[in-house]
Amino acid sequence: MNILSLDNISKHYGDKMLFSEVSLHVNDYDKIGLIGVNGTGKTTLLRIIAGVEGLDDGEYRLTNGMNIEYLPQNPEYNPESTILEQVFRADHPVISIIRDYEYTLTKLEKTPSDDLQEKLISLSSKMDSSNAWELESTVKTILTKLGISEFDLKMKQLSGGLRKRVALACALITPCDLLILDEPTNHMDHETITWLEDYLKSRKGALLMVTHDRYFLDHVVNKTIELDLGTLYTYTGNYSEFLEKKIERKTMEQTMQAKKKQLYKSELAWIRKGALARSTKQKARIQRFEELSDSLDGQQTSESMDISVAHSRLGGKIIEWENVSKSYGEKNIIKDFSYILTREDRIGIIGPNGAGKSTLLNLITGNLSPDKGKVDTGTTVKIGYFTQESADMDENLRAIEYIKEGAEFITTADNIKISASQMMEKFLFNSDLQWSYIKKLSGGEKRRLYLLRILMDAPNVLILDEPTNDLDLETLNVLENYLEDFNGAIITVSHDRYFLNKICNKIFAFEEDQKIMINTGNFDDYMQKRNLWINENKKSESKSDKSNSYKEKPKNNSIPKLSYKEKLEFEKIYDEIDQLETKISKLDEQMIENATDYVKLQELVNEKESLEDELLHKMEREEYLSGIEEARKAMKSKSESVKQLV
């Protein structure tokens, strides 16, 4: 079923044409990834499709009864609203009932009263009649997976990353026919991104999103649309299939371009002979020549270019960490970390949000001092630090002025001087963008400009904190090409698995107990080793449990017997097993009664798992103790029989 159609739409900002006469049709089974260089109009196109921005020309048709939910890159929020109020802000009848139910339930848990109890009963009845329990359960799952639990916190108290998650939760829980997401994976850890992939793949309804996460695109989308130089290209398939088909398109375009140039040369020779527009045919031929000339003059390319650049000399000693520890109050972040950085290191730092990844980077750069241990940096080290915030960027400067503040020229590895303007072209800033004021650039263009400014300083050690956030895929390709040729150490925090696999040869993973696990290889290598390590630990724990549960079997030549402590244990163990089975049975009944209360249900599930583990242990002990007792009786009976024979 068709949800929405755009026919021959156009959009301009002043003299800048974003796209002209493009068309798009969205069906209910489409999961679409929108890609293109930052500043080409991807966000504007999303806003037009979402109905929050108008068209200059063309036709917009939304099928009757179809609903759209839109998550912008920078969601708006009321700083005084609680998480609960923000999450359930959608104007949807079922969401409104769930919101009232959750709000009443929260109040009732804090201040019990008969009025609130009656209201909750009434709302429960509405939940029944609206078939809202399944959606309510889905809502709770989404909130839990996104790490949202303290519903009473106000939005102004949250970090930028958590505010984005609250906005994402609101978009995901709101029933709609078309879900539009602008950079949904920013500020997420790997585990959450993996969950979101699975959720969006199985979600019913159409999806349209902008994301730089190439693995995410590969795993979720079945259609890719590219906004390139004002034209919209549609490809069936995911990101990998798009790359193959784009190469085919570019090859065909190059062939057509070569034919155009050949025809142009032929027609130019004819014109130079002094062709006069005396006949209708000659007039038409001259007009075709002029159109051909205009098309060749206007030919542009958005292809990335090589930016291999020389760096400052780097000595033998780079950076050394010796027993480094860092805490914030009572919370330990990093504990006894030691490492010697080498020139060949390409290190990816991963871990849950809040684990201490950015803290480690700030310890490296000297922005933070360790509580214990030391960070020793070599005298020749020149660090380029790309932070999550584009610090100290004067938005009243023109883009090229900002770059020239760093350097007018830079020297390549082949000792060729490249001007700031040429470097900007290589970094996908055309002449118009170079002379634009920074305040007029898109968020992604500002990030690209900030990154180029750091690289223009010719560092020999690169520290990158989430470099892929807000960068378009073409810029990522440019950056990755640069990093592959970079003759120095690289340390990066990133959640982009594709980027980590392509760039890194080591992974620093924040594990439990503030320990940093060092793994040789890229992200996929780390995940294989981690899964193997987890499986081995489970086997080891299983063997350990068995060795603790079962003592060494008594030898056949001695009569086995229970110790005094084991006798007492054996006397009580059957009653204890009965009690545990009774408790588990009661928990099963409570779980049925509380099937609609997700929080209570989770508590009961956890309690049941704990009791089942205890029951299993008791049954193993009963088997062991009864085995010894039976063996003792058998040995005693055999001994008495021998005595009688003697």
Side-chain angles (χ1 to χ4, degrees):
M1 172 189 271
N2 178 265
I3 294 175
L4 174 141
S5 293
L6 304 176
D7 292 313
N8 299 317
I9 68 166
S10 300
K11 185 69 177 180
H12 298 75
Y13 276 123
D15 294 333
K16 183 179 180 181
M17 185 272 292
L18 291 181
F19 39 83
S20 177
E21 297 184 352
V22 302
S23 299
L24 176 67
H25 302 276
V26 181
N27 297 309
D28 56 1
Y29 53 81
D30 286 334
K31 296 190 186 297
I32 304 169
L34 170 60
I35 63 176
V37 176
N38 286 332
T40 55
K42 299 191 300 296
T43 294
T44 300
L45 182 58
L46 291 187
R47 288 172 56 82
I48 288 171
I49 294 171
V52 298
E53 189 159 338
L55 299 169
D56 292 340
D57 293 297
E59 187 177 1
Y60 174 101
R61 295 195 310 276
L62 179 65
T63 302
N64 288 337
M66 296 289 107
N67 297 312
I68 296 175
E69 183 65 22
Y70 172 47
L71 173 70
Q73 193 168 343
N74 297 301
E76 295 181 357
Y77 63 93
N78 183 348
E80 297 299 325
S81 292
T82 65
I83 289 179
L84 184 66
E85 291 167 342
Q86 189 70 23
V87 166
F88 292 107
R89 66 172 176 76
D91 186 19
H92 187 278
V94 179
I95 292 294
S96 297
I97 294 171
I98 296 174
R99 177 179 61 236
D100 293 342
Y101 174 82
E102 291 295 333
Y103 183 72
T104 304
L105 183 62
T106 302
K107 285 185 67 176
L108 185 62
E109 289 172 350
K110 290 184 176 180
T111 55
S113 72
D114 292 340
D115 289 343
L116 287 174
Q117 187 66 47
E118 288 179 9
K119 186 176 181 180
L120 190 66
I121 292 171
S122 173
L123 288 168
S124 297
S125 177
K126 289 183 179 179
M127 294 278 283
D128 288 335
S129 60
S130 303
N131 295 318
W133 291 115
E134 183 178 351
L135 178 57
E136 194 259 358
S137 177
T138 302
V139 167
K140 290 288 180 63
T141 300
I142 290 171
L143 295 175
T144 301
K145 292 296 184 181
L146 291 177
I148 301 168
S149 56
E150 300 180 68
F151 293 161
D152 290 340
L153 287 178
K154 291 191 174 182
M155 293 298 292
K156 65 182 180 182
Q157 297 174 275
L158 308 183
S159 66
L162 190 52
R163 284 199 293 266
K164 182 68 178 280
R165 287 176 180 230
V166 171
L168 175 59
C170 182
L172 294 180
I173 69 176
T174 304
C176 63
D177 302 289
L178 171 59
L179 177 63
I180 302 176
L181 305 175
D182 196 351
E183 296 289 6
T185 62
N186 280 1
H187 310 291
M188 281 190 186
D189 54 43
H190 300 97
E191 185 178 345
T192 309
I193 290 174
T194 301
W195 170 81
L196 184 60
E197 279 179 4
D198 294 336
Y199 177 82
L200 292 177
K201 276 194 294 187
S202 60
R203 176 189 174 276
K204 293 181 180 179
L207 171 69
L208 171 61
M209 64 178 176
V210 170
T211 179
H212 61 266
D213 191 321
R214 288 155 288 189
Y215 278 175
F216 198 83
L217 288 168
D218 263 345
H219 293 159
V220 175
V221 308
N222 55 29
K223 183 186 288 186
T224 304
I225 56 177
E226 180 190 20
L227 192 55
D228 184 22
L229 301 174
T231 302
L232 200 63
Y233 299 93
T234 301
Y235 307 84
T236 301
N238 60 15
Y239 179 72
S240 295
E241 292 168 308
F242 150 74
L243 288 178
E244 294 175 4
K245 292 174 182 177
K246 181 177 180 180
I247 290 171
E248 293 175 4
R249 175 173 71 83
K250 287 291 183 181
T251 302
M252 187 178 295
E253 286 178 356
Q254 288 170 2
T255 302
M256 294 297 294
Q257 191 71 0
K259 290 180 179 179
K260 276 186 178 182
K261 287 180 179 178
Q262 188 175 359
L263 178 60
Y264 175 79
K265 288 179 182 179
S266 173
E267 295 298 279
L268 180 61
W270 178 74
I271 289 288
R272 284 174 175 170
K273 286 180 180 178
L276 299 175
R278 290 173 178 164
S279 68
T280 303
K281 287 185 178 181
Q282 285 182 324
K283 285 180 181 178
R285 187 172 179 181
I286 291 172
Q287 184 178 350
R288 284 198 302 271
F289 170 78
E290 290 172 349
E291 291 173 354
L292 183 62
S293 178
D294 289 341
S295 70
L296 288 172
D297 288 342
Q299 188 68 26
Q300 302 180 54
T301 178
S302 61
E303 293 298 300
S304 60
M305 301 165 70
D306 177 38
I307 56 168
S308 175
V309 175
H311 68 289
S312 308
R313 187 186 72 83
L314 185 60
K317 181 178 180 180
I318 305 178
I319 302 175
E320 298 179 3
W321 297 268
E322 185 178 340
N323 298 321
V324 171
S325 297
K326 183 66 181 178
S327 302
Y328 292 110
E330 296 181 356
K331 185 178 180 181
N332 294 321
I333 302 296
I334 297 168
K335 185 178 180 181
D336 295 328
F337 177 66
S338 297
Y339 188 76
I340 299 175
L341 189 69
T342 69
R343 182 193 303 269
E344 293 76 23
D345 276 336
R346 304 283 191 272
I347 298 170
I349 302 175
I350 65 173
N353 290 332
K357 303 185 295 294
S358 293
T359 297
L360 180 59
L361 295 190
N362 283 314
L363 287 170
I364 295 168
T365 56
N367 293 335
L368 283 176
S369 299
D371 299 332
K372 176 188 170 186
K374 65 177 182 177
V375 179
D376 194 3
T377 302
T379 56
T380 61
V381 170
K382 185 177 181 182
I383 292 176
Y385 186 17
F386 181 76
T387 66
Q388 292 193 47
E389 306 294 333
S390 304
D392 302 326
M393 182 179 279
D394 184 355
E395 297 203 345
N396 292 316
L397 288 176
R398 296 183 188 274
I400 194 167
E401 293 171 343
Y402 175 70
I403 295 300
K404 284 184 175 181
E405 281 186 346
E408 292 272 355
F409 292 89
I410 197 164
T411 306
T412 69
D414 300 324
N415 291 319
I416 299 172
K417 285 189 177 295
I418 297 181
S419 69
S421 177
Q422 288 172 319
M423 277 297 291
M424 292 185 75
E425 287 178 6
K426 291 172 183 286
F427 234 76
L428 310 180
F429 285 97
N430 60 30
S431 56
D432 291 336
L433 277 179
Q434 289 181 28
W435 290 98
S436 295
Y437 286 101
I438 294 175
K439 60 187 175 186
K440 292 186 177 181
L441 300 180
S442 69
E445 286 169 336
K446 289 176 184 176
R447 290 286 284 172
R448 193 195 320 160
L449 188 69
Y450 173 52
L451 176 61
L452 178 56
R453 169 66 182 272
I454 289 167
L455 301 182
M456 288 290 289
D457 287 335
N460 50 31
V461 174
L462 276 175
I463 312 291
L464 309 172
D465 193 357
E466 296 290 6
T468 64
N469 279 0
D470 302 322
L471 291 184
D472 56 75
L473 296 178
E474 290 207 44
T475 304
L476 283 178
N477 288 329
V478 173
L479 174 61
E480 287 164 354
N481 291 337
Y482 175 90
L483 295 179
E484 285 180 340
D485 294 331
F486 184 74
N487 191 20
I490 300 170
I491 302 173
T492 179
V493 169
S494 180
H495 64 264
D496 190 321
R497 297 154 293 178
Y498 192 101
F499 181 79
L500 292 170
N501 276 336
K502 190 170 182 180
I503 297 302
C504 297
N505 56 26
K506 283 183 184 171
I507 298 292
F508 286 3
F510 276 77
E511 302 287 348
E512 296 178 358
D513 301 325
Q514 300 79 48
K515 293 291 185 182
I516 299 175
M517 183 183 291
I518 299 175
N519 301 271
T520 300
N522 61 17
F523 180 76
D524 282 348
D525 296 327
Y526 158 73
M527 288 303 295
Q528 289 176 1
K529 291 176 187 175
R530 186 174 186 271
N531 292 334
L532 182 63
W533 175 72
I534 290 172
N535 291 334
E536 287 178 349
N537 270 5
K538 285 181 179 178
K539 290 178 183 178
S540 177
E541 288 172 4
S542 177
K543 289 178 181 178
S544 177
D545 290 342
K546 287 181 180 178
S547 66
N548 290 332
S549 298
Y550 299 104
K551 304 289 184 182
E552 184 179 350
K553 295 288 184 182
K555 294 180 180 179
N556 291 333
N557 58 2
S558 62
I559 298 177
K561 64 178 182 178
L562 298 174
S563 67
Y564 176 73
K565 186 176 180 181
E566 287 174 330
K567 283 182 181 179
L568 293 177
E569 181 185 2
F570 189 49
E571 289 172 1
K572 297 187 294 182
I573 200 162
Y574 290 105
D575 289 337
E576 290 173 344
I577 288 173
D578 287 341
Q579 290 170 10
L580 286 169
E581 288 176 338
T582 302
K583 287 180 180 179
I584 291 172
S585 178
K586 288 181 178 179
L587 282 175
D588 286 333
E589 295 173 1
Q590 291 176 33
M591 287 168 66
I592 295 172
E593 294 171 0
N594 293 276
T596 57
D597 187 342
Y598 179 81
V599 176
K600 181 65 176 176
L601 184 61
Q602 190 62 49
E603 291 175 357
L604 294 171
V605 169
N606 294 340
E607 186 179 352
K608 182 182 176 183
E609 288 177 353
S610 177
L611 289 176
E612 286 176 338
D613 289 341
E614 187 179 351
L615 176 61
L616 179 61
H617 174 70
K618 291 289 184 186
M619 293 175 75
E620 288 174 344
R621 289 294 293 168
E622 183 274 331
E623 183 180 351
Y624 163 72
L625 295 172
S626 62
I628 291 180
E629 185 64 14
E630 289 173 6
R632 186 190 69 79
K633 289 178 180 178
M635 290 290 289
K636 186 176 180 182
S637 174
K638 183 177 179 181
S639 177
E640 289 175 352
S641 298
V642 170
K643 286 179 181 178
Q644 290 175 0
L645 288 172
V646 172

